[in-house]
Amino acid sequence: MANGFLSEMIRRELKFLLPRALVLDCMIYIISLPIYKLCAEIPLGLLAGTAVMLLNFIILGLSAERAVEYPVNLAKGIMFGSYMVRLLITGLLFIAGLKLPQINLLAAAIPQLFPKLAYTFDAIVKKKGG
């Protein structure tokens, strides 16, 4: 663990993921303009979803770093507990998307796919050599 709250590895991954997530947020907002016009629900949903995605990513990193310090059975418990917390947080996001008219549920759900998209695209670019 680094001197601060987040390790260097987690900070490095967040520096990779955050700019890509914000670019994807902007792209999705622009794509949604013809359908939703200039409403606040889409950007609020995207930002809420991105915040939850980043929080889940941080929790995953912290629990993975912690789990490697323990025996396998305890590590599995740590990872399962982390999974349940992340699932609860994501569930709360979706409930907020359903209950609050200020947050578009679909826009809040889309950023949950950003890590997969960012890492897959990065792997494809690296495999092609640039």
Side-chain angles (χ1 to χ4, degrees):
M1 199 71 146
N3 293 339
F5 173 67
L6 300 177
S7 70
E8 180 59 34
M9 180 197 66
I10 295 173
R11 284 195 301 266
R12 185 179 61 246
E13 295 303 319
L14 288 174
K15 285 179 188 175
F16 170 83
L17 193 55
L18 181 59
R20 287 161 178 80
L22 294 175
V23 167
L24 288 169
D25 280 344
C26 290
M27 289 172 53
I28 292 167
Y29 179 64
I30 290 168
I31 291 169
S32 73
L33 282 175
I35 299 166
Y36 290 99
K37 309 294 182 234
L38 289 174
C39 67
E41 294 83 9
I42 300 297
L44 287 175
L46 289 168
L47 290 176
T50 299
V52 166
M53 178 269 301
L54 292 171
L55 178 62
N56 283 339
F57 199 80
I58 290 168
I59 293 169
L60 175 63
L62 291 173
S63 61
E65 288 176 342
R66 185 170 162 234
V68 298
E69 299 171 357
Y70 292 95
V72 172
N73 286 339
L74 192 52
K76 286 181 181 180
I78 290 169
M79 293 308 293
F80 180 74
S82 165
Y83 175 72
M84 295 278 80
V85 168
R86 291 181 288 123
L87 194 61
L88 174 68
I89 292 169
T90 303
L92 292 173
L93 170 69
F94 292 158
I95 290 171
L98 288 170
K99 297 287 184 183
L100 299 174
Q102 299 89 347
I103 297 176
N104 182 286
L105 176 61
L106 182 60
I110 291 172
Q112 305 314 302
L113 303 172
F114 288 174
K116 184 74 165 174
L117 294 172
Y119 286 110
T120 301
F121 183 74
D122 188 57
I124 291 169
V125 168
K126 284 181 180 176
K127 187 172 183 174
K128 289 184 177 181

